[in-house]
Amino acid sequence: MKVNSNFLKMPESYLFSEVAARIKAFREANPGKEVIRMDIGDVTLPLPSVVIEEMKQAAADLGESSTFIGYGPEQGHTFLREAIAATDYRSRGIDISETEIFISDGAKSDIGNVGDLFDVDNVIGLANPGYPVYFDANVIDGRKERVVILPCTQATDFKPQLPSEDMATIDVIYLCYPNNPTGVVLTREELQAWVDYAKAHDALIIFDSAYEAYISDENIPRSIYEIPGARKVAIEVRSFSKTAGFTGVRCGYTVVPEDLKKTDTDGNEVSLNKLWRRRQSTKFNGASYIVQRGACALYSPAGRKTIEENVGYYMRNACALRDALQAKGLIVYGGENSPYVWFKAPKGMTSWEAFDFLLEETGVSSTPGVGFGPEGEGWLRLTGFNSYEKTLYAISKINNICLI
Ligand SMILES: *Cc1c(COP(=O)(O)O)cnc(C)c1O
């Protein structure tokens, strides 16, 4: 047996371990000094009580022979798929049906697995900086050499530019808006340009909208299917993690429209919805019944309300961070329609220099932007996921130092 040597081509993933190691060293050198974790990429508010009650009831149902349920449909239970189609799409005038929705154990799995659908020779376009899973999953699938970086810099407001005519045609484009790590969003026109590109070049868009619930600006699209033509070119991935506290419970979903058809190497048209169904029923036996019942409770009025409150809570933190950094004279992105705040390292420092500087001077921990790709060098990410009190405390510490 030989291993899949593509694994050995993956970049070392040391970002979060290195952050942890530096925080540990700081604590040891500064006993009694508090570290304020503004680098957290996990949510902190507990699960909504409607979800807990529904999961308790679901567990009780599994204990009675009259209500016991074993294997469910691989694509997810109808009750949840119908709630998603009705609430997240049709109520907003977006044409998506329950047969186009596939429930999973989270967005990360779907993002990692979606590469099963496309040929190893496709050219992959990745915005940089970006969520590392897009790149790593393509490396495992043997496409490391096929990845084209779409640089997102201050000059482009951290938005990817359409490939120019002399560039290779990109076959699969990963887009994530609101973006992690930059907090940037795309307008309707900007997203339309990508849909048009995909249409013109027979490309596929993988749209990661894990943060759509954070969008408050009505002009910013929450789903790629708000864009005309997107049903023919895009797969959308969503998650209950960042809005409803499901990071540990695990549930998300992927939308693969029936109109999404691509050709095989012989030129025959293939439905990606059928292919994904086949993929899921082969390698996946569905998300947990209890978890799907819990996710369904999020579509009740009480569930909607809790999500709104949670998002509002994290957004208040993110806005406060953005305002404070801007007031210090720093260049700041995000913190609007996104729980992430992305700012330029002070005094021309590198990401890691600024990480150390901020930790030493204030006890505030951040995430170095370079950990999300080379284009993130010189930038830092803070998140709105800590408590409001800790966020204000971090801001008071930042206000006490000179940053320009
Ligand atoms: C957190 C995150 C995910 C993963 O969500 P899960 O459903 O918890 O797997 C996907 N995409 C982005 C951009 C994220 O930040």
Side-chain angles (χ1 to χ4, degrees):
M1 181 274 184
K2 289 201 176 68
V3 299
N4 174 356
S5 40
N6 291 318
F7 274 93
L8 313 175
K9 299 181 187 169
M10 272 206 282
E12 274 313 315
S13 163
Y14 64 90
L15 175 64
F16 294 103
S17 55
E18 182 62 24
V19 166
R22 291 192 190 205
I23 290 173
K24 183 164 175 275
F26 173 82
R27 283 200 167 116
E28 281 163 10
N30 301 276
K33 265 202 195 169
E34 190 182 346
V35 175
I36 318 158
R37 298 295 299 261
M38 302 312 287
D39 59 309
I40 354 183
D42 199 351
V43 292
T44 50
L45 293 171
L47 285 172
S49 55
V50 277
V51 171
I52 298 299
E53 289 314 312
E54 189 64 19
M55 292 202 297
K56 278 186 192 162
Q57 185 55 52
D61 289 350
L62 294 183
E64 298 287 338
S65 54
S66 61
T67 45
F68 170 77
I69 283 186
Y71 288 127
E74 292 93 348
Q75 72 270 33
H77 282 284
T78 314
F79 59 80
L80 180 55
R81 288 186 292 115
E82 279 177 351
I84 291 168
T87 314
D88 290 345
Y89 294 100
R90 285 202 296 272
S91 78
R92 300 204 177 113
I94 307 167
D95 172 26
I96 291 293
S97 77
E98 56 278 6
T99 57
E100 300 173 313
I101 291 167
F102 296 82
I103 312 296
S104 71
D105 64 345
K108 194 185 212 175
S109 312
D110 288 347
I111 291 163
N113 293 334
V114 73
D116 280 5
L117 295 185
F118 33 94
D119 192 271
V120 69
D121 279 340
N122 284 293
V123 176
I124 310 296
L126 294 185
N128 189 295
Y131 185 56
V133 183
Y134 314 136
F135 182 71
D136 291 359
N138 275 290
V139 175
I140 294 177
D141 289 350
R143 283 185 285 262
K144 184 173 190 175
E145 284 73 32
R146 312 295 283 163
V147 171
V148 171
I149 295 298
L150 304 169
C152 300
T153 63
Q154 196 187 341
T156 69
D157 276 339
F158 288 98
K159 294 173 181 186
Q161 304 300 293
L162 288 170
S164 55
E165 289 299 321
D166 54 333
M167 271 173 81
T169 295
I170 291 173
D171 303 307
V172 183
I173 304 144
Y174 290 71
L175 296 175
C176 171
Y177 296 94
N179 187 261
N180 178 9
T182 65
V184 164
V185 291
L186 290 192
T187 64
R188 210 166 286 281
E189 293 70 31
E190 287 161 341
L191 206 48
Q192 181 75 62
W194 281 104
V195 168
D196 292 345
Y197 176 88
K199 267 187 355 198
H201 296 88
D202 192 25
L204 172 71
I205 295 174
I206 313 288
F207 192 69
D208 182 346
S209 69
Y211 297 95
E212 58 85 23
Y214 288 86
I215 296 175
S216 57
D217 184 339
E218 281 173 12
N219 296 316
I220 301 296
R222 292 174 67 153
S223 164
I224 195 159
Y225 304 118
E226 289 178 44
I227 308 300
R231 281 180 57 88
K232 285 193 157 66
V233 297
I235 288 176
E236 180 161 284
V237 184
R238 286 195 178 181
S239 168
F240 298 108
S241 285
K242 311 298 176 18
T243 49
F246 270 54
T247 49
V249 174
R250 309 303 306 143
C251 196
Y253 63 90
T254 284
V255 184
V256 189
E258 314 258 12
D259 317 10
L260 183 50
K261 303 211 167 103
K262 295 285 166 195
T263 46
D264 65 15
T265 40
D266 297 328
N268 303 309
E269 202 167 67
V270 181
S271 153
L272 291 199
N273 177 287
K274 283 215 182 82
L275 227 55
W276 187 246
R277 190 177 305 273
R278 188 77 172 89
R279 191 267 165 217
Q280 292 298 79
S281 54
T282 302
K283 293 194 183 179
F284 186 56
N285 251 337
S288 148
Y289 172 69
I290 297 173
V291 166
Q292 292 189 63
R293 286 273 298 270
C296 199
L298 294 170
Y299 292 91
S300 67
R304 305 317 298 160
K305 189 160 167 280
T306 318
I307 289 185
E308 238 172 71
E309 286 166 0
N310 288 6
V311 166
Y313 183 86
Y314 297 135
M315 278 312 300
R316 179 166 65 153
N317 295 341
C319 289
L321 286 168
R322 183 200 60 205
D323 291 350
L325 294 171
Q326 264 173 354
K328 295 295 280 184
L330 295 171
I331 298 163
V332 188
Y333 287 84
E336 285 173 319
N337 303 305
S338 161
Y340 294 116
V341 176
W342 179 252
F343 67 100
K344 194 167 168 61
K347 308 175 193 203
M349 292 182 206
T350 65
S351 293
W352 281 109
E353 283 166 359
F355 171 90
D356 287 336
F357 173 78
L358 211 59
L359 187 61
E360 285 294 329
E361 298 291 317
T362 65
V364 171
S365 63
S366 56
T367 310
V370 70
F372 299 98
E375 300 293 346
E377 179 59 286
W379 293 77
L380 293 164
R381 188 191 77 174
L382 299 182
T383 83
F385 291 135
N386 209 326
S387 70
Y388 185 55
E389 293 69 30
K390 293 272 186 205
T391 304
L392 291 186
Y393 187 50
I395 289 171
S396 73
K397 291 284 187 182
I398 290 170
N399 279 339
N400 283 338
I401 59 163
C402 178
L403 284 172
I404 46 171

